[in-house]
Amino acid sequence: MERRRTPRVESGIPVEFDTATDRELLGIGQNVSKKGLLLLSRVEHAPGEPLTLRFRTHGRSGDITEIAAHVLRSEANHPESLWPIKSAVEFDREEDVRLDALEDRA
């Protein structure tokens, strides 16, 4: 059963983020929508944990946008990966994200 309520695109966008205790952490945003993304990083999060994300919501030439969000779930990605943790993150409000500009076009 599909749980997603908004369209998503496969992406690989750089994301800088803050937690309540750490600043300027790095990760990669995948499966991006106007309501959230899958964050690959080195940090495991508790469900409900607030995050502040910063990334270019309008593609490579756009400005960096700061977005308040929270973690839905966090789990192991791949232990040998540069990004061993994957976290489903929901934005606190719908954001103006240009999905067409973020989509991977390999």
Side-chain angles (χ1 to χ4, degrees):
M1 178 165 86
E2 180 66 39
R3 295 185 300 189
R4 296 182 179 143
R5 296 180 303 267
T6 58
R8 292 183 177 241
V9 296
E10 285 295 321
S11 190
I13 57 170
V15 176
E16 182 179 275
F17 65 98
D18 302 335
T19 67
T21 57
D22 294 305
R23 302 280 183 256
E24 299 178 358
L25 299 166
L26 299 176
I28 298 292
Q30 294 189 325
N31 299 327
V32 182
S33 79
K34 292 179 179 279
K35 293 191 168 229
L37 54 75
L38 182 66
L39 178 65
L40 303 181
S41 74
R42 297 174 162 269
V43 182
E44 190 165 357
H45 304 281
E49 180 178 351
L51 301 177
T52 302
L53 309 174
R54 287 176 296 282
F55 65 96
R56 296 181 192 280
T57 57
H58 288 189
R60 292 182 182 160
S61 61
D63 293 332
I64 294 175
T65 302
E66 188 169 277
I67 296 174
H70 60 277
V71 176
L72 297 175
R73 67 185 171 282
S74 191
E75 60 195 28
N77 180 28
H78 189 284
E80 296 176 16
S81 170
L82 179 61
W83 311 111
I85 304 295
K86 60 183 175 183
S87 301
V89 176
E90 183 176 57
F91 305 151
D92 289 352
R93 64 181 179 84
E94 188 169 309
E95 295 290 337
D96 179 24
V97 177
R98 288 227 9 239
L99 299 179
D100 61 324
L102 298 181
E103 188 170 17
D104 275 345
R105 295 186 177 129

